[in-house]
Amino acid sequence: MSLNKLNAVLLLALILCAMSVVSSTHSARKLYSELEKEQRLSRQLDVEYGQLTLEQSTWGAHALIEKTATARLQMLTPSQRQVHVITPEGVR
């Protein structure tokens, strides 16, 4: 009878260990999936940051050109009445 009790206890311990392994494996896979998702988002944000940096430098260059034209060459931005748009059909 003592051997049967020992076998039952060992079987219960084996089942608990197996359930623990299954649970920890599931948890690890879920966390790895979340990690991949966050890394993908990080790469996407890096690309967007690069695009925004490029856009900022472009706008910065435009502002520098306008500032130089105003300061050195005393150029002014024309008013809307002074601007003429030329299309294939004629002047608007």
Side-chain angles (χ1 to χ4, degrees):
M1 188 93 166
S2 172
L3 190 56
N4 285 339
K5 283 184 180 181
L6 180 62
N7 283 341
V9 169
L10 290 176
L11 179 63
L12 182 62
L14 178 66
I15 291 173
L16 289 175
C17 286
M19 293 299 287
S20 175
V21 168
V22 169
S23 175
S24 64
T25 302
H26 175 70
S27 178
R29 286 181 180 170
K30 189 174 179 182
L31 288 173
Y32 186 74
S33 173
E34 289 178 25
L35 174 66
E36 284 183 332
K37 178 181 168 187
E38 294 299 324
Q39 287 175 338
R40 197 169 35 249
L41 178 62
S42 175
R43 285 190 297 270
Q44 182 182 357
L45 289 174
D46 283 341
V47 168
E48 185 178 348
Y49 177 76
Q51 291 171 341
L52 291 173
T53 303
L54 180 62
E55 183 179 348
Q56 182 182 20
S57 68
T58 302
W59 283 109
H62 178 72
L64 179 64
I65 291 170
E66 187 174 353
K67 180 180 175 184
T68 303
T70 303
R72 284 188 177 172
L73 304 174
Q74 288 79 37
M75 297 178 86
L76 301 173
T77 305
S79 67
Q80 276 191 323
R81 293 188 321 185
Q82 293 173 319
V83 175
H84 300 283
V85 178
I86 300 174
T87 62
E89 295 81 31
V91 178
R92 281 195 280 166

